[in-house]
């Protein structure tokens, strides 16, 4: 495939230039003037795709369920009782709908924590997106009801199948015992797979456990840390490790009243920070454009020099690709073709010579014309070429009705 006549932003620090791209076997194989016919993308910009490094995709089925409650009410009173009633089909269509939303907003891959993992993985496979799939693990009362076993069995069957990667998803140190976390760490080490956990999201978590103990338990595994809101200045250095990847979820953190993570400080200390949306029950959109801008503005609240354009772009793209451990996030020969095409024919992209600034500060998800994952379009000009869009929406709505029946709310 040859993409012609577009402007190209190769990475967050490079300048926008005119170039054609050749895509072969899912990778970028040529950048420059190509004298062959191809897809005409004149008036558009090609840039590295975005990644959503923390979500619970199937929670689209609970979007808007609890908009004005504190975190503990949201989780224990609203979300968990409904999750008890979910089945695999609901999770499949909830995940499908989430991927439609994400693909249309330029997201090439997501890190998930949920259950009914086979249904999640089948949806991902059917859609053609990248996903890091982990099972939410808890052991309240000392019994995990076979969840870790189930996670392990899933990981062995699905890790590396197509674009799917597997990991382990201990929910949080307040819902998992220390012994259980150690067991998970041991299994993850043996399997060579990452661990995905919520850490220091709410302020009350500081009284429940010490983050140092948790980092110590997982010191030998790749650790994807969601939220990290409650870390103090002098503690942030502890997150600056090669094996730790912080997923910053500013919308969810604000909406649930958990506060603002010290992201500028983290970047200064060399912490790997990427962006996540969290689930649609706490955000409520799966929109990395929105998170990118919000992340920037929140850091600028007290110091406008604290977050630069290139840092925002890097968190959304290249740093997300690093979480997946893939050779993507930049447009270079030999790298995976995870790309987005942005329609520049909008008033908010003028003047045209400051496109990078516009992407962060005036751009929006609806500017995405197309999204490519490993050389294949998963969204193109308003359509989803890999799925039957109307069937997915219809089935999603049917499953939602079933879920709500007998709920009494
Ligand atoms: Ni979460």
């Amino acid at each position: 495939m040859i993409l012609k006549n577009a402007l190209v932003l190769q990475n967050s620090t490079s300048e926008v230039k005119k170039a054609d791209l050749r895509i072969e076997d899912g990778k970028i194989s040529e950048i420059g003037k190509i004298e062959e016919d191809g897809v005409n993308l004149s008036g558009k910009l090609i840039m590295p795709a975005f990644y959503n490094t923390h979500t619970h995709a199937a929670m689209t089925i609970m979007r808007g369920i609890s908009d004005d409650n504190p975190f503990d009410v949201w989780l224990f009173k609203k979300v968990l009782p409904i999750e008890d009633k979910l089945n695999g089909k609901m999770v499949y269509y909830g995940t499908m709908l989430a991927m439609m939303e994400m693909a249309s907003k330029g997201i090439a891959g997501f890190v998930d924590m949920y259950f009914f993992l086979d249904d999640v993985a089948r949806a991902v496979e059917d859609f053609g997106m990248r996903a890091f799939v982990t099972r939410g693990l808890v052991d309240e009362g000392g019994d995990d009801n076979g969840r870790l076993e189930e996670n392990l069995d899933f990981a062995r069957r699905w890790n590396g199948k197509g674009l799917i990667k597997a990991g382990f998803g201990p929910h949080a140190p307040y819902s998992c015992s220390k012994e259980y976390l150690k067991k998970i760490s041991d299994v993850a080490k043996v399997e060579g797979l990452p661990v995905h956990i919520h850490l220091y999201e709410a302020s009350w978590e500081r009284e429940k456990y010490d983050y140092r103990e948790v980092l110590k338990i997982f010191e030998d595994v790749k650790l994807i840390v969601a939220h990290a809101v409650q870390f103090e200045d002098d503690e942030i250095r502890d997150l600056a490790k090669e094996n730790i990847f912080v997923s910053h979820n500013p919308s969810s953190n604000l909406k649930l009243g958990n506060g603002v993570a010290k992201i500028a400080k983290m970047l200064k200390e060399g912490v790997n920070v990427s962006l996540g949306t969290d689930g649609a029950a706490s955000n409520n959109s799966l929109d990395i454009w929105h998170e990118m801008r919000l992340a920037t503005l929140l850091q600028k609240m007290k110091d406008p020099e604290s977050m630069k354009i290139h840092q925002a772009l890097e968190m959304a793209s290249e740093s997300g690709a690093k979480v997946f451990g893939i050779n993507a996030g930049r447009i270079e020969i030999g790298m995976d073709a995870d790309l987005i095409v942005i329609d520049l024919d909008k008033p908010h992209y003028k003047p045209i010579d400051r496109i990078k600034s516009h992407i962060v500060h005036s751009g929006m998800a609806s500017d995405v014309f197309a999204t490519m994952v490993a050389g294949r379009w998963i969204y193109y000009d308003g359509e989803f070429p890999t799925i039957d869009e109307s069937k997915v929406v219809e089935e999603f709505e049917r499953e939602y009705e079933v879920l709500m029946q007998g709920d009494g709310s």
Side-chain angles (χ1 to χ4, degrees), residues 54 56 198 201 226-227 249 278-279:
H54 176 66
H56 314 275
H198 295 99
E201 177 176 9
H227 302 290
N249 296 212
D278 216 346

Side-chain angles (χ1 to χ4, degrees), residues 53 111 132 165 194 222 224 245-246 272 274 318-326:
T53 58
V111 179
F132 234 126
K165 293 189 175 208
K222 177 173 177 175
I224 303 164
F245 296 82
V246 169
N272 297 306
S274 56
E318 194 172 348
S319 301
K322 282 183 185 152
V323 174
F324 281 81
I326 51 174

Side-chain angles (χ1 to χ4, degrees), residues 238-293:
D238 295 336
L239 292 168
K241 301 243 164 67
E242 242 172 56
N243 66 313
I244 298 177
F245 296 82
V246 169
S247 178
H248 178 39
N249 296 212
S251 292
S252 174
N253 296 339
L254 288 181
K255 190 156 175 283
L256 293 170
N258 289 325
V260 180
K262 297 175 187 288
I263 298 304
K265 175 81 175 161
M266 287 186 199
L267 294 175
K268 207 179 255 175
E269 296 282 354
V271 179
N272 297 306
V273 183
S274 56
L275 296 174
T277 61
D278 216 346
S282 63
N283 187 313
N284 303 353
S285 71
L286 309 177
D287 182 348
I288 290 297
W289 291 74
H290 185 77
E291 302 305 318
M292 176 169 64
R293 187 168 184 215

Side-chain angles (χ1 to χ4, degrees), residues 124-156:
V124 170
E125 194 174 45
D126 291 347
F127 198 95
M129 200 177 248
R130 287 186 197 279
F132 234 126
V133 183
T134 68
R135 198 207 189 286
L137 303 169
V138 294
D139 73 335
E140 279 149 327
D143 187 1
D144 87 334
N145 288 311
R147 293 184 183 99
L148 178 55
E149 201 54 44
E150 189 192 317
N151 196 154
L152 176 61
D153 172 60
F154 169 84
R156 286 179 174 164

